[in-house]
Amino acid sequence: MPLAPRLEQTPSSHPRLPFPGTRRFAALGAVSALLTLVAILFSPAIASADAPFRLPGQITDTVGVLDADQQSDVQAAIDQLYDDHKVRLWVVYVPDFNGLGAGPWADQTAQASSLGDRDALLAVATVDREYALIAPDGLSEITSDEAESIRVDAVEPALREEDWAGAAIAAAGGLGDAMSPGGGMSVRTLLIGGGVVVVVGAGGVVLYSRKKKHDRSRAGVEAARSISPEDTAALTALPLPTLDERAKEVLVETDDALRTSQEELELARGEFGEQATAAFTAAFDTAKSTLAAAFTVRQRLDDAIPETPQQQREMLIDIITSCGRADRELNEKVQEFDGLRDLLINAPDRLDALTRDMVALTVRIPDSTRTLATLQTEFPAAALASVAHNVTMAEERLAYAEKAVTEGRDAVALPPGKQGPAVSAIRGAEGALEQARILLDAVDHAAEDIRHAIATLPAAITDVEAGIAAAAQFTEQGGDRLAAARTAAEAALAAARTAADTDPLGSFTQIVKADAELDAVLAEAQESRQQAERAQQRLEQDLVAAQSQVTAASDFIGTRRGAVGAEARTRLTEAQRHLAGAQQLRTTDASRALQHAQAAASLAADALRLAQNDVSRWESRQRPGLGAGGGNATGAILGGILIDSILRGGFSGGGNWGSRGSGGGRGSGPRSFGGPSSSGRISGGGRF
């Protein structure tokens, strides 16, 4: 969470800081001109302005505000924090931040000092009365609320009293207290230097207090993120609700990584050919199969058949470890892939090609607009819900691509060594243009699919009517199961007739599902050969329906994946698996292929419904008043082109000190090929 207000500001006014890769709980501020004048006249000798620099030690005082005893007290607190939690706190006092502001100055100093993922930094400008308290994501034990409490309840009060040593001691104590099991005030915080008073300020006593944890569930999930997918013992020790949330989260992360990897791989395959990209294709296919298995387990957890708590725990751990394997399978090829796709080598040619693609897609906008307008005159809004905003969203993706291409050309014009932003711009433009194409194609799919449903719905209704009539002849053989299936088919038939004009595709899917359930029971009461012949006759039309429904769901989720959760993705993955099974069995076992096709259509319809609900919730929560699609950058976030922490809480910024790529750490730029853990190419290390 960014914490960079002026000292006199309230905690609610914290602006975002642009520096990637750290969780910032910084406060910057200025008191009145009178206080500044007093500080200049009465504080110790003031050093000149300090640019960001490499810290020589864990306590750096260029202003001379600490005496020997105070330095000893601060060092004791720093040592205690390291002894208890292996966390290094670095403290630096300067007169001002050289015009950079607290956050950027602290970030640059942290980088210059090679601080690692177990290092925190407290930087204080004693004359300008600004400060920054920052730590990397490696300190995952500290929640957002705890960081807020450390800053507001401990550090700021001491700084306002000009108790410079007390602020550092409070920061060390607060960090250690937040990382201690069970929370509460730790003994070391009360006994620094052998006393019982935490901080003695210039104007009195400032006691450190911390808010109680009011969101243990979120804190548990944040802690679970630090557990390796291979550490099954640690995963087993997690509470079941925390394990369930983490499993959903890791499914979304891995699915996003695979989708982006597929887009990058297709671009690389078109550029370098099948042979040069064969190894990456193999790694992707393996990771995709591993993720599909994890989605299958999630589907079993979500179905109506209950599992025991122990079974649930084992299945959730299986999901997390499977996603971890998929992550590794992709990441093993990341370095090689990045070397192959060195976007800077031919950046001008790439930008020219992107411009041509942008023009070609822009030319399609009027036709797609007319197509959608025609559909809106033919069909009601319910039938077009999944594509109603596609043209607008495609225009937004094109606008984002145009901006990215311009930024890419500007970056290419820079001197060698400073052209890195061109890579992020090219990848962002590629992703935006690909999604614009999918969005426009989806409008064409909708026209074909709805008209196909209209054409075939009467035959489907006739087919289910025949099944209902046949069921009446086999009541004795089918028993209660057949009677129940017949009743359900009759209800579905009545509903489909009612909605045939308003939602033909949905009605067709509903009929297919009801007919499948009825046929499954009839198969036990009728002769296998008769059912097989009937299945073969219906298989082709049901395969078309299934493919249409899967395509609609896939297009919708793929272009809005920034807001779509695990449930919709699970249903879509299962639908794709059933569709593949239907296609594989179509010539050898028509009856089983038909069941697969019908299951695929039903699951895809569920996936689309769940995804639409996710997007609606995201839009109402994240972008009030903007309507579907939002602005260019917002649309890129919704489409998953720019990765943001949409589906999880926690500190903004993400990543560690040293994030890979010019786009910054997690949550700041377009992704590339690789698993979710490599989205920021995080590196470890640090000083000791």
Side-chain angles (χ1 to χ4, degrees):
M1 60 182 277
L3 303 164
R6 287 282 178 180
L7 289 178
E8 70 273 21
Q9 286 180 327
T10 61
S12 63
S13 59
H14 311 324
R16 285 185 65 90
L17 293 176
F19 180 75
T22 58
R23 299 180 302 188
R24 302 160 179 79
F25 34 110
L28 27 139
V31 296
S32 66
L34 177 59
L35 288 178
T36 301
L37 179 60
V38 170
I40 294 173
L41 293 176
F42 296 101
S43 63
I46 302 301
S48 60
D50 289 305
F53 62 101
R54 183 177 179 86
L55 300 176
Q58 284 187 260
I59 302 175
T60 303
D61 181 8
T62 69
V63 190
V65 294
L66 301 182
D67 60 27
D69 290 339
Q70 289 172 327
Q71 284 210 22
S72 178
D73 289 343
V74 173
Q75 188 64 55
I78 289 174
D79 292 343
Q80 189 69 54
L81 176 63
Y82 183 81
D83 290 341
D84 290 348
H85 302 288
K86 296 300 181 287
V87 171
R88 294 168 293 267
L89 174 63
W90 302 72
V91 182
V92 55
Y93 302 92
V94 293
D96 58 59
F97 291 130
N98 202 36
L100 291 177
W105 191 95
D107 287 333
Q108 293 179 35
T109 296
Q111 290 182 328
S113 303
S114 303
L115 300 194
D117 55 9
R118 302 292 292 178
D119 294 290
L121 172 63
L122 173 63
V124 180
T126 59
V127 174
D128 278 2
R129 303 186 67 81
E130 298 179 77
Y131 81 96
L133 177 58
I134 60 177
D137 276 345
L139 304 185
S140 58
E141 302 94 328
I142 302 174
T143 67
S144 301
D145 290 340
E146 288 166 336
E148 174 95 351
S149 181
I150 293 169
R151 180 183 61 74
V152 174
D153 299 329
V155 176
E156 281 190 10
L159 291 176
R160 291 181 68 85
E161 297 292 339
E162 297 188 357
D163 184 6
W164 313 117
I169 294 170
L175 291 170
D177 190 37
M179 300 176 71
S180 298
M185 182 65 70
S186 64
V187 173
R188 73 177 185 289
T189 308
L190 296 173
L191 300 180
I192 293 297
V196 295
V197 179
V198 182
V199 179
V200 179
V205 177
V206 180
L207 297 178
Y208 168 74
S209 64
R210 187 173 58 85
K211 298 177 183 177
K212 293 182 179 180
K213 294 180 181 178
H214 64 78
D215 193 353
R216 294 186 180 275
S217 175
R218 181 171 298 281
V221 174
E222 289 177 352
R225 292 175 189 144
S226 65
I227 298 175
S228 168
E230 299 177 356
D231 192 351
T232 55
L235 292 172
T236 301
L238 293 174
L240 197 59
T242 300
L243 197 61
D244 183 62
E245 286 301 314
R246 179 56 183 155
K248 291 178 180 178
E249 186 177 77
V250 78
L251 275 173
V252 172
E253 292 172 350
T254 309
D255 189 46
D256 273 340
L258 260 74
R259 288 175 181 273
T260 304
S261 294
Q262 183 175 23
E263 294 169 356
E264 290 281 318
L265 182 57
E266 288 173 354
L267 291 169
R269 188 183 294 118
E271 180 179 4
F272 301 110
E274 295 286 346
Q275 184 175 357
T277 56
F280 308 123
T281 301
F284 173 80
D285 289 343
T286 302
K288 184 177 180 181
S289 297
T290 303
L291 179 61
F295 271 118
T296 299
V297 176
R298 181 78 248 181
Q299 175 66 27
R300 287 169 51 201
L301 282 168
D302 292 345
D303 64 22
I305 302 174
E307 288 85 15
T308 66
Q310 182 58 32
Q311 289 173 328
Q312 293 177 40
R313 184 176 299 278
E314 292 171 355
M315 294 166 74
L316 290 168
I317 292 174
D318 185 21
I319 290 173
I320 295 172
T321 56
S322 294
C323 289
R325 285 197 305 275
D327 182 29
R328 290 195 307 276
E329 286 154 358
L330 287 178
N331 289 343
E332 287 174 356
K333 296 292 183 181
V334 162
Q335 187 173 359
E336 185 180 353
F337 186 89
D338 284 350
L340 180 67
R341 289 211 70 204
D342 187 350
L343 299 180
L344 287 179
I345 294 177
N346 298 310
D349 292 340
R350 290 178 182 276
L351 291 167
D352 289 343
L354 288 171
T355 300
R356 291 192 294 272
D357 292 343
M358 191 164 51
V359 171
L361 287 169
T362 302
V363 170
R364 291 183 57 185
I365 293 292
D367 287 340
S368 296
T369 302
R370 286 190 291 270
T371 298
L372 189 57
T374 300
L375 290 172
Q376 289 169 340
T377 63
E378 295 182 34
F379 311 114
L384 301 172
S386 66
V387 296
H389 303 290
N390 277 28
V391 174
T392 300
M393 295 177 73
E395 290 175 328
E396 292 169 352
R397 302 300 197 272
L398 287 170
Y400 177 83
E402 183 177 12
K403 179 175 179 290
V405 168
T406 300
E407 292 174 350
R409 294 191 188 281
D410 292 342
V412 169
L414 295 173
K418 297 184 178 181
Q419 298 173 345
V423 174
S424 179
I426 290 172
R427 282 182 169 148
E430 288 173 344
L433 291 175
E434 175 63 14
Q435 289 198 10
R437 181 189 63 76
I438 292 173
L439 287 163
L440 296 179
D441 287 349
V443 175
D444 297 333
H445 294 159
E448 297 169 4
D449 296 343
I450 294 173
R451 290 187 176 116
H452 176 269
I454 292 173
T456 55
L457 184 57
I461 289 176
T462 300
D463 199 35
V464 77
E465 287 174 338
I468 292 171
Q473 302 174 20
F474 290 90
T475 302
E476 183 176 349
Q477 293 89 341
D480 293 340
R481 286 187 61 215
L482 182 59
R486 179 185 176 186
T487 300
E490 289 171 340
L493 180 62
R497 283 172 171 162
T498 301
D501 294 331
T502 58
D503 188 7
L505 183 57
S507 299
F508 185 78
T509 301
Q510 199 172 18
I511 283 291
V512 167
K513 180 179 179 180
D515 204 17
E517 294 171 353
L518 182 59
D519 283 349
V521 182
L522 274 173
E524 300 176 4
Q526 294 176 308
E527 296 212 0
S528 298
R529 181 173 181 179
Q530 178 184 355
Q531 284 297 97
E533 291 174 352
R534 185 167 176 266
Q536 187 65 55
Q537 293 171 359
R538 295 185 43 217
L539 178 58
E540 293 306 317
Q541 74 174 33
D542 284 10
L543 272 174
V544 172
Q547 180 66 70
S548 299
Q549 196 70 51
V550 168
T551 298
S554 180
D555 287 348
F556 187 89
I557 292 173
T559 55
R560 298 159 177 86
R561 61 180 179 261
V564 176
E567 287 188 82
R569 297 166 190 254
T570 297
R571 303 300 183 274
L572 176 58
T573 302
E574 282 295 285
Q576 291 168 333
R577 182 177 69 84
H578 279 289
L579 181 60
Q583 292 167 338
Q584 183 178 3
L585 295 171
R586 66 192 301 176
T587 58
T588 58
D589 192 340
S591 181
R592 287 180 59 200
L594 184 60
Q595 293 175 15
H596 277 297
Q598 293 161 344
S602 177
L603 285 164
D606 288 344
L608 181 58
R609 174 181 54 81
L610 290 167
Q612 288 172 332
N613 292 342
D614 285 343
V615 172
S616 295
R617 284 192 295 269
W618 182 85
E619 288 176 340
S620 64
R621 184 172 64 252
Q622 299 290 340
R623 303 178 302 158
L626 292 181
N632 296 338
T634 305
I637 292 172
L638 175 60
I641 300 167
L642 295 179
I643 306 303
D644 198 4
S645 300
I646 292 174
L647 298 178
R648 64 158 71 168
F651 296 89
S652 63
N656 283 14
W657 301 119
S659 298
R660 170 259 195 192
S662 60
R666 186 175 62 221
S668 59
R671 271 183 163 160
S672 179
F673 182 90
S677 68
S678 71
S679 62
R681 306 291 198 266
I682 296 171
S683 60
R687 299 179 67 186
F688 62 93

